[in-house]
Amino acid sequence: MSGLRDRLARHLKPGKTAAAPEAGAEQRQAELTPEQAQHGPAEGGGPAACPLSESAAGAVAGTTREPAGAPDAAGNAPAEGSAPAEGAHGYAGHASGGSPADARSGSGQADEPAASAAPAAPAPAHPEAAAWAKLDAELYEFPAGSFVRRVRTYPMDAYHGRYRLDALHEHVREFGAFHPEAEPVHAEGLLFFDTETTGLGVGAGNVAFLVGIGYYETGRFVVEQLFIRHPAEERAMLAYLEEKMKRFTHVVSYNGRTFDWPILQNRFILNRMRPDIDRLLHLDLLHPSRSLWKHSMPSVRLGKVEEAQLGYAREDDVSGAFAPELYVLYLAEGKTDVLRGVFVHNERDIVSLAALSALITRYLADEEPLEPKSPGDLFRLGQWLLKMNRLPSAEKILELGFYRLQEQGEKGHTVSGDLLLRYAAYYKKAGVRDRAVELWNRLIRQAGPAAAAPVEAYIELAMHYEHGCKDYALALELSREALDVLRQRRRLLRRSEKAADEERRIAHRIERLQRKLRDCGKSVSERKASVKAAIPSRPPKPPGQARSAKPSGKPRPAYAADSLFDVARNPG
């Protein structure tokens, strides 16, 4: 195990919460200045990136940070949706193990969830209790057995990046767009869900050793983390989770539909438990994230989406890919400190789901500002809103994106050819042919070298002039240009079967257009003949006045021959 510990060394460095409160910590806390006692010590004089990284000694002594979202000295609350005054990359509010009142006052008292599944028996003295207390966790006794539980609470005015945790309440009913046939959605019915597992598969050997859930209660947002120290505790943890799920109507996850949720269902089945969890409707935020930001971000992992869209940057975060190895290290050594980063990472995921839900519902409600968005962002947002059946908002956003494309064209800016094709395809489907033709022509003009010109634009224009305008000559010319572009590419790139098929299709189109042009010429001559036949003809002349036939020419000379060979054989 030394090799595994060496490889994970950088993830095992004790942070500000890594060390247990030393002897005399309370005495040193009493020596702090009043300002330090109010805000807590911070390295370098700056705010901590996240309340999860606050000093454990300060937590024991009862010192907490004042939430940035709390009213100021004059009693004025910050504006809804505005960014926190400090901690742009972290939480402005404070997460604690106590009640919301304790979180604001900094009492640091222990807390039980307001709506627990079953009353917990008093935890007996246990040698591991002190070790788990360093992680703000406890050995939880449930009628089905024991497991480790960690509870963190956040006040509703706490910020996660740019969004307050209570921002979801304003537009939570917009989540009904995911399941239009279901009952209206309420914030208290949402269960935010994430797991840390022993592997990446969904087979029977993959175990969720840490299950994180988050939910709204009156005046606070609660994060519960359920951890099993060994496989024998799994059944008790699942029984507690089953009881907890009865009060919720929806599950909110990130890639949970295809990974986390199937694993949980498998674990219930393998433990011979049949909970009624299929009634819960799933809201997987990975799918809207892909629709909105797949083409504008290098990755749509939750951590990247947090940073780019929520304005929250994680510091000293343990990647979820290392969670299985850290769990193996814990099983081998029995030291709880190696799991600190795993708990923190899972907790951040849960809180990020709540903030991301607020952002998604604001998009559905047409409340998110659109000024900083590019034409590409607007197009993807509009297409996603079309899919979610938000037609008026989608049309307005796509119209704004088209005008911004025009502005960029007037300034001489080059726009992605793929984006122009996507806008043109949308307007073609919507029946606005003029705009589609304008975008295809613009794409050809800005292409530059002939080999770089987009074949799709030529073909679309050829189809437009052939079927829409019946201008076969222009369609033929565009098809020939498309074929020329393909042949120039073939000289530069390796020939592929796909390119060969495309060349054959274009050649077939050219033949069809040439045939149509010939048929058009034939039909015109036939039309002229029919018009001439319809005009009354002149009366015939009398037979006596008929012109006599021309006399035949002079008689053929006797020496005339049919060919030179006959001349050669002629004896005369």
Side-chain angles (χ1 to χ4, degrees):
M1 282 298 153
S2 60
L4 178 60
R5 176 172 278 276
D6 293 341
R7 187 155 58 88
L8 301 175
R10 69 185 187 92
H11 300 289
L12 302 176
K13 293 180 180 178
K16 294 181 182 180
T17 55
E22 304 177 293
E26 298 180 0
Q27 179 180 358
R28 288 197 303 271
Q29 180 66 26
E31 299 172 356
L32 295 175
T33 64
E35 181 178 0
Q36 291 172 331
Q38 179 182 1
H39 297 287
E43 295 184 2
C50 173
L52 300 173
S53 61
E54 291 179 356
S55 171
V60 172
T63 59
T64 61
R65 295 185 184 276
E66 187 70 14
D72 56 16
N76 298 321
E80 176 69 24
S82 60
E86 65 174 357
H89 297 294
Y91 297 97
H94 176 71
S96 69
S99 64
D102 295 335
R104 291 181 176 86
S105 63
S107 63
Q109 297 176 358
D111 172 69
E112 291 291 335
S116 59
H126 196 282
E128 296 184 29
W132 287 110
K134 297 177 183 179
L135 302 183
D136 298 328
E138 61 176 343
L139 294 177
Y140 189 81
E141 294 294 336
F142 195 67
S146 64
F147 56 91
V148 175
R149 188 183 70 157
R150 183 175 185 262
V151 180
R152 303 284 285 176
T153 60
Y154 293 82
M156 299 297 284
D157 56 2
Y159 279 87
H160 186 75
R162 291 187 293 266
Y163 297 91
R164 283 173 46 150
L165 293 183
D166 60 352
L168 176 60
H169 288 68
E170 185 176 1
H171 305 293
V172 67
R173 287 179 177 263
E174 298 294 337
F175 264 148
F178 289 88
H179 300 280
E181 71 286 352
E183 296 294 328
V185 185
H186 300 279
E188 290 74 14
L190 299 177
L191 180 69
F192 301 92
F193 173 77
D194 185 53
T195 64
E196 304 299 333
T197 62
T198 56
L200 298 178
V202 292
N206 197 6
V207 178
F209 63 86
L210 175 62
V211 177
I213 58 175
Y215 50 89
Y216 285 98
E217 285 186 344
T218 304
R220 64 178 183 172
F221 182 76
V222 181
V223 177
E224 287 193 42
Q225 295 171 290
L226 316 177
F227 177 84
I228 57 173
R229 296 171 292 171
H230 44 77
E233 293 185 336
E234 184 181 33
R235 185 176 180 84
M237 183 263 287
L238 293 176
Y240 176 86
L241 188 61
E242 176 187 359
E243 189 71 20
K244 200 76 175 178
M245 286 180 173
K246 291 180 179 179
R247 52 171 284 198
F248 301 103
T249 59
H250 293 73
V251 173
V252 184
S253 69
Y254 203 83
N255 195 29
R257 187 189 298 274
T258 57
F259 182 72
D260 302 84
W261 198 247
I263 288 177
L264 185 64
Q265 291 175 318
N266 288 343
R267 302 318 302 177
F268 276 117
I269 293 173
L270 292 173
N271 283 273
R272 298 185 178 183
M273 303 171 67
R274 302 287 182 177
D276 185 20
I277 61 176
D278 292 335
R279 64 176 181 80
L280 298 174
L281 300 177
H282 211 120
L283 302 173
D284 193 338
L285 302 186
L286 173 64
H287 303 297
S289 297
R290 280 177 175 168
S291 299
L292 294 171
W293 306 303
K294 179 181 178 180
H295 298 281
S296 59
M297 295 176 55
S299 171
V300 289
R301 291 189 297 108
L302 183 56
K304 297 296 183 182
V305 172
E306 284 176 347
E307 186 172 353
Q309 306 301 327
L310 303 180
Y312 173 74
R314 301 193 184 195
E315 298 181 5
D316 300 327
D317 185 63
V318 173
S319 172
F322 291 100
E325 299 181 64
L326 291 170
Y327 183 59
V328 171
L329 188 62
Y330 161 76
L331 294 177
E333 300 182 351
K335 297 180 179 179
T336 61
D337 61 329
V338 302
L339 298 170
R340 179 177 302 278
V342 179
F343 277 98
V344 171
H345 172 84
N346 181 264
E347 179 184 350
R348 289 171 175 171
D349 284 350
I350 296 296
V351 182
S352 291
L353 287 175
L356 184 57
S357 298
L359 175 60
I360 297 297
T361 55
R362 286 176 64 86
Y363 278 135
L364 289 170
D366 198 16
E367 291 292 335
E368 190 67 11
L370 304 176
E371 288 76 11
K373 296 192 176 300
S374 66
D377 293 335
L378 292 172
F379 176 79
R380 287 180 284 273
L381 176 58
Q383 290 293 304
W384 178 69
L385 290 174
L386 282 176
K387 186 168 62 175
M388 303 303 294
N389 202 27
R390 294 294 193 267
L391 302 183
S393 299
E395 292 174 355
K396 181 189 73 172
I397 289 171
L398 290 168
E399 188 80 3
L400 177 61
F402 177 76
Y403 284 125
R404 290 190 180 176
L405 277 180
Q406 286 184 319
E407 293 175 358
Q408 291 183 355
E410 294 172 356
K411 296 177 182 179
H413 297 165
T414 301
V415 183
S416 166
D418 181 68
L419 182 60
L420 291 175
L421 284 174
R422 289 176 181 271
Y423 267 101
Y426 162 71
Y427 284 115
K428 174 187 175 182
K429 185 177 181 180
V432 188
R433 286 275 179 171
D434 294 342
R435 288 190 175 181
V437 170
E438 176 186 345
L439 293 169
W440 288 324
N441 283 315
R442 176 180 172 182
L443 183 54
I444 292 175
R445 288 195 304 269
Q446 79 171 21
V455 178
E456 295 86 348
Y458 284 114
I459 296 301
E460 290 289 352
L461 286 172
M463 293 169 59
H464 167 71
Y465 287 112
E466 177 185 358
H467 303 294
C469 303
K470 306 300 181 182
D471 191 343
Y472 303 131
L474 184 53
L476 177 60
E477 183 64 26
L478 288 166
S479 299
R480 286 172 174 169
E481 291 184 8
L483 185 60
D484 184 59
V485 168
L486 278 179
R487 288 172 176 172
Q488 291 191 46
R489 287 183 182 176
R490 186 175 58 187
R491 299 190 189 102
L492 301 175
L493 303 175
R494 187 174 181 179
R495 182 179 177 86
S496 64
E497 188 62 30
K498 181 180 179 181
D501 291 341
E502 194 169 7
E503 284 190 29
R504 284 192 291 269
R505 287 194 298 269
I506 295 177
H508 178 71
R509 180 182 299 277
I510 291 174
E511 292 176 2
R512 185 180 69 248
L513 289 169
Q514 289 174 339
R515 186 168 58 252
K516 284 186 175 182
L517 286 173
R518 289 195 301 269
D519 294 343
C520 284
K522 181 179 179 181
S523 62
V524 169
S525 62
E526 291 175 350
R527 192 180 306 113
K528 288 182 179 179
S530 62
V531 170
K532 184 177 180 180
I535 298 175
S537 59
R538 297 179 181 181
K541 295 183 179 181
Q545 298 180 359
R547 184 180 299 179
S548 60
K550 290 184 178 180
S552 59
K554 297 180 179 180
R556 185 178 182 183
Y559 57 82
D562 294 332
S563 69
L564 295 178
F565 297 99
D566 295 335
V567 173
R569 291 193 298 267
N570 191 345

